Amino acid sequence: MKPRRVKRLFGSVFTRLLLATLAAGLAITFTVIAGFMIIRLHTENDFKRNLLFYTEYLVEDLGDPPDEHRAQEIARRTGMVIRFDHPEHSWQTGPLPRFFNFGRAWIHQDASGMQMGSSKGHHFIRLSHAGGELIFIATRDPHHSDEAIWILTAMAVAMGAILGLAYFYIRRILKPLHALKAGVDEVGAGRLSHRIPEAGHGELRDLAEAFNAMAERLNRLLHSKEQLLLDVSHELRSPITRLKVQLEFLEDADARESLRSDLAEMEAMVATLLESARLRHTAAALSLKSVSMGDLIRSLIPEFKDRRPGVEPGPLVDVPVNADPEKMRSVLRNLLDNALKHTPDDGPAVSISMAHRQDRLEIVVEDRGEGIPAAALPHLFEPFYRPDISRSRKTGGYGLGLSLCKAIVDAHGGSIDLVSTPGEGTRVTVGLLLR
């Protein structure tokens, strides 16, 4: 897994909530365990004290020297193992528990001289008696370990079930956030008509309602802006036409040519605005037909034969797509024109190539020119935006070319992406779906 994906995984709200739930569960578990251990410690102290008192009675009952037959009877009734070690006579009422080892036992000596210890969960008391050593071993139930394993297994299964339920519950709670993210992506891509479901209740529903209200306001604002541009463009056509007529009566030839150039520039800008607005509102402006994009590019390249450093075709494929040939010709012409404008005359030729990627056709226009600053990249497809803040005539254009290209490609249901590095060049990729 890549570091970025790991960072994203552990940075997500879902993962953090799940880890918080897990941490809380473990903290509660450890608290309960600690409480039981403290209770057990106090209980063991009471048990040891009672066992010491009981041992004194047993020692008196066994006599001096201790009676082996009496010890056998006591062992049968209590489950203890009683052992007497003496230089002349030793005996033991039964076998020692499995893995029991006096050498590795924890031992505590009482003020009376009795020694108490435990080994593998078996408690014992050792004391001097009748010239030898008397040992009482309180054996643990042999089924205790099996029961403990089953209890621990049941606890682990229960903890896993609880965490599993918490996992699915948290996913259900955070499901509206996934819809919200998808909505943000859609709005960020320019599809302002997208709305997210206003399901559930509480803060997440309020967030969904606020998002939809924001998208609606943005949609109205942008629609008003585009409608204003459209209306202004329509209104400009009539005075431009009248100016062109009046211009012919101007006697100064130099002034006439200068004004004619300015009017032509204004007329081209108005036409571009109208075309962009029409394409953004509906795809009905397209005249779709089956087009071989390879043939279209081959027919377009001769238009730039006199432009330096020239256009060099790369691999071209003859895969038919459903497109408007004139509109796509306009897109490619605009991209090649931009690439040539920003490439030195003595630099490498601008390349245009194609690639067939499963269900889409990619057209790539690439240059080795001056490149575009990183700060300008997010705004390149906005109307009237130009990285050249001087807006000089050297580079030409009105900042509408790439905006119009995106409008045309979007109307085709495709995509257009641009990557650029200052000093190294720019690469534009147009993706069209194959139907």
Side-chain angles (χ1 to χ4, degrees):
M1 185 177 288
K2 297 181 179 179
R4 185 178 179 183
R5 291 184 179 178
V6 173
K7 185 176 180 181
R8 182 176 180 182
L9 173 64
F10 286 97
S12 70
V13 176
F14 174 78
T15 303
R16 283 184 284 174
L17 282 176
L18 187 62
L19 290 176
T21 303
L22 178 61
L26 291 175
I28 293 172
T29 302
F30 286 131
T31 302
V32 172
I33 291 175
F36 274 111
M37 289 182 68
I38 294 172
I39 293 172
R40 181 182 176 185
L41 180 62
H42 287 288
T43 305
E44 275 196 0
N45 290 334
D46 294 337
F47 168 75
K48 291 175 182 177
R49 185 168 56 252
N50 293 330
L51 185 59
L52 287 172
F53 288 140
Y54 183 55
T55 303
E56 293 177 0
Y57 290 109
L58 290 179
V59 171
E60 291 180 6
D61 194 11
L62 289 174
D64 186 3
D67 185 353
E68 183 178 357
H69 296 291
R70 181 60 182 160
Q72 292 285 357
E73 177 64 18
I74 293 173
R76 183 186 64 79
R77 285 162 41 189
T78 62
M80 285 186 174
V81 175
I82 303 175
R83 177 175 172 175
F84 180 64
D85 290 328
H86 192 274
E88 296 180 0
H89 177 65
S90 299
W91 48 263
Q92 184 172 299
T93 61
L96 294 177
R98 190 180 181 188
F99 304 121
F100 186 86
N101 189 334
F102 284 113
R104 297 183 179 180
W106 173 84
I107 298 175
H108 171 71
Q109 186 163 340
D110 187 70
S112 63
M114 291 186 183
Q115 292 182 344
M116 174 171 282
S118 64
S119 174
K120 302 298 181 181
H122 306 283
H123 296 282
F124 66 90
I125 292 178
R126 184 164 55 188
L127 65 147
S128 298
H129 181 67
E133 190 176 63
L134 189 61
I135 304 173
F136 296 90
I137 304 170
T139 60
R140 186 178 59 180
D141 188 345
H143 300 293
H144 179 75
S145 297
D146 296 336
E147 291 176 357
I149 292 174
W150 278 109
I151 291 172
L152 290 175
T153 302
M155 290 176 63
V157 172
M159 181 66 74
I162 292 170
L163 289 176
L165 291 173
Y167 173 85
F168 289 108
Y169 184 65
I170 292 173
R171 282 190 66 90
R172 182 178 178 182
I173 291 176
L174 298 181
K175 189 176 180 180
L177 290 182
H178 296 288
L180 180 63
K181 183 184 181 302
V184 170
D185 292 339
E186 290 291 318
V187 171
R191 292 179 279 275
L192 298 180
S193 60
H194 182 81
R195 299 292 180 269
I196 62 175
E198 297 176 1
H201 52 80
E203 292 85 351
L204 292 178
R205 180 184 177 88
D206 295 341
L207 186 60
E209 292 176 350
F211 175 86
N212 288 337
M214 177 197 69
E216 180 64 29
R217 287 195 297 271
L218 284 175
N219 195 21
R220 287 199 301 266
L221 286 172
L222 289 178
H223 179 76
S224 300
K225 174 186 172 183
E226 290 180 354
Q227 188 62 45
L228 176 63
L229 287 175
L230 191 62
D231 293 342
V232 170
S233 300
H234 273 295
E235 295 300 323
L236 283 175
R237 279 190 160 182
S238 296
I240 288 176
T241 302
R242 290 196 297 270
L243 284 173
K244 288 172 67 176
V245 173
Q246 295 296 325
L247 187 63
E248 298 303 321
F249 296 97
L250 190 64
E251 296 182 356
D252 190 333
D254 293 337
R256 185 170 61 247
E257 287 302 318
S258 177
L259 290 173
R260 183 180 287 125
S261 175
D262 290 339
L263 283 174
E265 188 173 350
M266 290 177 62
E267 193 170 28
M269 181 187 295
V270 169
T272 304
L273 278 171
L274 291 172
E275 183 70 8
S276 177
R278 184 163 56 249
L279 286 169
R280 288 182 186 279
H281 278 82
T282 177
L286 300 178
S287 177
L288 299 176
K289 60 182 69 175
S290 180
V291 180
S292 171
M293 296 304 298
D295 290 341
L296 189 148
I297 292 173
R298 293 186 189 96
S299 66
L300 184 64
I301 291 176
E303 296 183 16
F304 300 92
K305 64 180 180 179
D306 296 329
R307 297 276 302 274
R308 297 182 63 185
V311 176
E312 183 178 316
L316 302 177
V317 295
D318 294 318
V319 178
V321 295
N322 199 30
D324 184 324
E326 293 306 316
K327 295 293 188 297
M328 289 307 303
R329 186 186 297 272
S330 176
V331 169
L332 299 177
R333 183 184 290 115
N334 196 304
L335 295 179
L336 289 172
D337 183 64
N338 282 346
L340 288 169
K341 283 179 182 177
H342 297 282
T343 303
D345 291 346
D346 57 350
V350 173
S351 69
I352 181 168
S353 60
M354 298 172 63
H356 186 188
R357 311 284 187 194
Q358 296 181 348
D359 61 341
R360 55 190 278 118
L361 184 69
E362 290 187 353
I363 305 170
V364 179
V365 177
E366 188 170 11
D367 66 67
R368 292 289 182 268
E370 60 196 37
I372 302 170
L377 293 179
H379 309 286
L380 289 177
F381 295 106
E382 296 176 4
F384 298 106
Y385 181 83
R386 291 180 57 192
D388 177 19
I389 59 174
S390 66
R391 307 186 72 86
S392 66
R393 288 180 179 271
K394 179 181 178 181
T395 55
Y398 323 105
L400 289 169
L402 287 177
S403 174
L404 180 59
C405 289
K406 180 171 175 56
I408 293 174
V409 174
D410 286 347
H412 281 81
S415 63
I416 180 168
D417 301 295
L418 186 149
V419 293
S420 183
T421 303
E424 295 184 11
T426 302
R427 177 187 179 95
V428 183
T429 304
V430 176
L432 297 175
L433 293 176
L434 299 174
R435 296 182 176 88

